[in-house]
Amino acid sequence: MDHTEPRTTEPRTTEPTDTEPSTTEPSAADGDQPPPGPPAPDDESRTGGAGGNPDAEGEAEAEATPRTETRTRTRTRVRIRRTALAVLLVLLLPLLTAETALRVNYTGDPAEGTRTRNRDAIWLGHAWVDGRKKDADLTALARSLKTTGIRDLYVHTGPMEHDGTLPEGLYPKARWFVDGVHRELPGVRVQAFLGDVLATESPDGMRLEKAATRAAVVGSARQVLDVGYDGVHLDLEPLHSGDGNYLSLLDDVRAVTRARGAQLSVAAHQIDPLPGFHSFWGTVAGHPKWWSQEFFGRVARRVDQIAVMSYDTMQPLESLYGGYVAQQTSLALEVTPPTTHLLMGLPFYHENRFGHWAHAETVAAAVRGVRLGLSRTDADRERFGVAAYIDFAATDEDWASYRDDWVG
């Protein structure tokens, strides 16, 4: 830049001028005057050249050195800023493009008839089977569910141990609850919600690569069916896309549930919003949160019900969250066979943390997103519903949005 460049030092000469009389030699006679010498080369006419002033040379160097260093530092800072800006644009442009697409995805009107098929579900807390809930609670639950389309209850009965076993002491009132629901709500199924953390991103947790662990999970499924549950609902997290051991486990558990005339359902991760996004996020964050659409389809073909956990989406605005749910609904419908019951999750809870903003992830936005995705992809899909998570955190507003916008 101009203001950082060193100034040019004017040349200083030590030769006498033509107008100054010589004090050492007499003037030559006409004709004896020697011809003028050649002009000094340009580089020698500057300070520091042959015949230059050594003091001036030192002063020029002293002045030029810090200015040169300043110019170098300035150019380095400019390069760093430009590089940072380029990296930021590389990261932000795809994000802004994707978010814009989600906002557009939230526009339009849902098709007529895209409301409950009376195949909805809700996740219930552990209090229903450990003795904390009483007859009055069960009566109130039955009364509230009669005005909904909910037909499956995923009641928390675990967690399982890391070795796949399930302590019987965790669910002493399970038979009371199952019998009470069958009495108060004929046609509503109660499934045992069995979960555990997997050792996929930490050293502690369940290891599905161990055959003995998978066999123990199958044993836990038999155990809850013996109590009277109508099905088994598995929620194992974080489950990475492409896990063949998980697929093997589903095959083994489904053999048991089919033999008993029971349901096998799973809580499913979200689908890549962009192809291969789970691989990218796994590299960046160490947590490949999403499944590939292909893997989602492989899971869906092995179960009776698959419920997408379409919350904790990191979306900051209600419109973006709704557009995201619309996209997830379409992606799931595309690969879920019509014989499998697909459910989209509704956030019946309210937290503010990275990954989930309560002001954005609302039931109203989720329901609208579900209806839009259903309208665009398979409006007449019969085995379809929504699943609310979770009963003990739900507000009156959550229930009202579900009833008004989905049940109708």
Side-chain angles (χ1 to χ4, degrees):
M1 299 176 68
D2 292 341
H3 67 279
T4 62
E5 298 210 10
R7 293 171 302 194
T8 301
T9 304
E10 293 295 329
R12 298 173 62 188
T13 179
T14 57
E15 298 283 336
T17 64
D18 292 340
T19 58
E20 292 179 347
S22 173
T23 58
T24 57
E25 295 189 18
S27 299
D30 290 346
D32 293 335
Q33 181 71 28
D42 289 343
D43 60 338
E44 292 184 3
S45 68
R46 297 179 178 272
T47 301
N53 187 331
D55 292 336
E57 178 183 356
E59 292 173 6
E61 289 182 353
E63 181 178 7
T65 298
R67 290 181 180 276
T68 301
E69 291 177 352
T70 300
R71 179 172 58 183
T72 300
R73 287 195 297 268
T74 300
R75 289 176 175 173
T76 300
R77 286 195 296 268
V78 169
R79 284 196 298 269
I80 291 173
R81 284 196 295 267
R82 288 176 178 172
T83 301
L85 179 60
V87 171
L88 186 62
L89 289 175
V90 167
L91 295 176
L92 286 183
L93 282 178
L95 176 62
L96 292 175
T97 301
E99 295 294 81
T100 300
L102 293 182
R103 181 62 185 88
V104 172
N105 214 27
Y106 195 58
T107 60
D109 297 319
E112 291 295 327
T114 52
R115 294 186 182 273
T116 187
R117 279 85 164 115
N118 293 315
R119 292 177 177 272
D120 303 330
I122 187 171
W123 282 278
L124 301 177
H126 199 82
W128 290 103
V129 296
D130 67 3
R132 283 177 284 171
K133 296 291 188 180
K134 307 302 179 185
D135 289 344
D137 299 307
L138 181 55
T139 300
L141 176 66
R143 186 186 307 116
S144 66
L145 293 183
K146 285 178 180 178
T147 59
T148 72
I150 293 175
R151 295 297 178 268
D152 281 282
L153 310 181
Y154 305 142
V155 58
H156 192 266
T157 308
M160 292 178 285
E161 299 293 327
H162 291 341
D163 63 2
T165 59
L166 178 67
E168 292 184 1
L170 290 177
Y171 51 94
K173 298 296 292 291
R175 173 67 72 174
W176 164 82
F177 182 69
V178 172
D179 289 346
V181 170
H182 289 167
R183 181 181 64 252
E184 299 287 340
L185 295 167
V188 172
R189 294 176 295 206
V190 183
Q191 300 190 42
F193 170 9
L194 303 179
D196 193 23
V197 61
L198 297 178
T200 50
E201 298 173 15
S202 69
D204 297 323
M206 181 181 290
R207 297 185 177 276
L208 293 181
E209 65 271 21
K210 294 184 176 181
T213 299
R214 298 196 303 274
V217 173
V218 175
S220 295
R222 290 194 184 94
Q223 189 175 315
V224 294
L225 294 177
D226 288 342
V227 174
Y229 281 100
D230 301 302
V232 177
H233 179 79
L234 294 178
D235 179 18
L236 303 175
E237 304 178 48
L239 182 63
H240 293 179
S241 183
D243 191 327
N245 293 312
Y246 179 65
L247 299 179
S248 177
L249 173 65
L250 294 181
D251 290 339
D252 294 341
V253 175
R254 196 176 193 189
V256 172
T257 56
R258 276 183 167 175
R260 302 286 191 95
Q263 295 286 297
L264 171 59
S265 61
V266 295
H269 288 32
Q270 297 157 30
I271 301 172
D272 280 335
L274 298 171
F277 198 70
H278 69 279
S279 297
F280 166 77
W281 197 254
T283 301
V284 172
H287 172 50
K289 172 184 173 70
W290 294 267
W291 287 352
S292 71
Q293 190 182 36
E294 186 271 339
F295 182 70
F296 186 97
R298 294 176 70 187
V299 173
R301 291 191 293 272
R302 286 171 164 80
V303 298
D304 299 297
Q305 299 178 346
I306 184 166
V308 184
M309 295 180 286
S310 43
Y311 36 75
D312 293 349
T313 65
M314 297 183 285
Q315 296 304 320
L317 300 175
E318 196 173 21
S319 59
L320 298 180
Y321 171 62
Y324 183 89
V325 173
Q327 181 201 46
Q328 288 291 308
T329 302
S330 293
L331 291 172
L333 282 167
E334 289 171 357
V335 292
T336 301
T339 53
T340 299
H341 181 187
L342 173 65
L343 300 109
M344 302 303 298
L346 303 181
F348 272 39
Y349 66 101
H350 306 270
E351 297 177 1
N352 285 300
R353 51 177 168 76
F354 179 75
H356 182 94
W357 302 105
H359 68 271
E361 296 197 13
T362 65
V363 175
V367 168
R368 176 174 168 76
V370 168
R371 295 187 64 199
L372 287 169
L374 184 62
S375 300
R376 295 163 182 160
T377 312
D378 192 355
D380 298 324
R381 177 70 173 244
E382 183 60 29
R383 294 180 180 271
F384 184 86
V386 297
Y389 183 87
I390 187 168
D391 70 312
F392 58 77
T395 65
D396 291 341
E397 182 180 359
D398 295 332
W399 282 110
S401 293
Y402 163 74
R403 288 188 172 93
D404 295 343
D405 301 336
W406 180 246
V407 179

